[in-house]
């Protein structure tokens, strides 16, 4: 029986929008509240936090990603490539309460430091998006896509990479949706055709 594989870049990219947009929304809500520090200090602190968090998220574990990419092995023919939308849906469904709690915490922190928590949350989303693009650069350089077993996709995608050719699956290098390809073309045949 074949194993299902999920794209590493898609897993990394999945939370980016769900941190970016709620972060900006909570920052906008927070900017309406004077807070303990005042809006000006809150926004300046938030801008600093945005840059710090985005940089930290982008740089975190990159050495491990490179190491796993170098040690990746070729996927066998008896694997099924999980659709991008399924990977994203599964990731978000498993973490929806965590994402809601992060949004509420960002809004609540505005009563102390307006907008800072929301901008930090948005920074995490920006860092993950940038990291997915960086992984896409690794994929283009190696002319392969990196995959991980779907059951491991619930945790950080940093174990046991498998590879296919660049044409496999329904996501481009970096995890963006591939235009002009219908869903469902993801089986063992797709893997062998993309070698």
């Amino acid at each position: 029986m074949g194993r299902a594989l999920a794209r590493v870049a898609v897993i990394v990219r999945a939370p980016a929008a769900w941190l970016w947009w709620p972060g900006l929304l909570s920052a906008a809500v927070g900017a309406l509240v004077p807070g303990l520090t005042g809006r000006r200090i809150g926004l300046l602190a938030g801008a600093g936090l945005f840059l710090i968090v985005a940089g930290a998220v982008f740089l975190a574990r990159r050495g491990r990603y490179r190491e796993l990419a170098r040690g990746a092995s070729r996927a066998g023919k008896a694997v099924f490539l999980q659709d991008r939308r399924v990977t994203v849906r599964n990731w978000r469904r498993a973490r929806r309460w965590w994402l809601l709690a992060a949004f509420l915490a960002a809004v609540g922190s505005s009563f102390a430091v307006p907008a800072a928590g929301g901008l930090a949350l948005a920074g995490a989303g920006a860092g993950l998006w940038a990291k997915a693009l960086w992984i896409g650069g690794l994929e283009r350089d190696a002319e392969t896509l990196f995959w991980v077993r779907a059951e491991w996709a619930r945790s950080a995608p940093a174990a046991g990479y498998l590879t296919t050719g660049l044409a496999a699956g329904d996501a481009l290098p970096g995890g963006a949706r591939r235009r002009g390809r219908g869903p469902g073309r993801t089986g063992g045949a797709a893997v062998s055709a993309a070698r």
Side-chain angles (χ1 to χ4, degrees):
M1 184 175 178
R3 289 184 304 193
L5 302 181
R7 277 285 300 288
V8 173
V10 171
I11 298 166
V12 172
R13 191 184 181 109
W18 283 74
L19 295 171
W20 172 258
W21 292 113
L24 291 184
L25 176 61
S26 61
V29 171
L32 302 176
V33 180
L36 297 177
T37 63
R39 293 186 185 92
R40 182 174 177 275
I41 292 175
L43 288 169
L44 288 173
L49 282 173
F50 178 92
L51 295 174
I52 291 168
V53 172
V57 169
F58 173 68
L59 295 172
R61 306 183 74 188
R62 290 205 315 170
R64 179 65 174 155
Y65 281 85
R66 279 198 196 94
E67 178 186 340
L68 288 165
R70 285 194 296 266
S73 58
R74 198 72 178 174
K77 291 184 178 180
V79 297
F80 297 91
L81 307 181
Q82 192 174 81
D83 286 345
R84 179 185 184 276
R85 61 184 172 77
V86 174
T87 302
V88 171
R89 184 186 66 217
N90 290 346
W91 193 99
R92 290 174 180 167
R93 184 176 292 166
R95 293 165 174 81
R96 62 187 179 274
W97 297 116
W98 179 88
L99 293 167
L100 177 61
F103 172 73
L104 293 176
V107 172
S109 70
S110 292
F111 290 97
V113 187
L119 289 172
L121 198 63
L128 287 170
W129 179 76
K131 181 178 282 186
L133 294 181
W134 174 78
I135 293 171
L138 293 180
E139 291 177 324
R140 280 186 288 272
D141 290 345
E143 296 186 347
T144 58
L145 300 179
F146 301 121
W147 302 78
V148 70
R149 288 171 60 173
E151 61 267 29
W152 296 347
R154 292 182 179 272
S155 59
Y161 289 1
L162 298 170
T163 65
T164 65
L166 289 175
D170 63 348
L172 295 167
R177 185 161 52 94
R178 195 186 299 272
R179 305 287 180 184
R181 179 177 295 193
R185 296 186 176 277
T186 57
V191 176
S192 59
R195 288 179 179 278

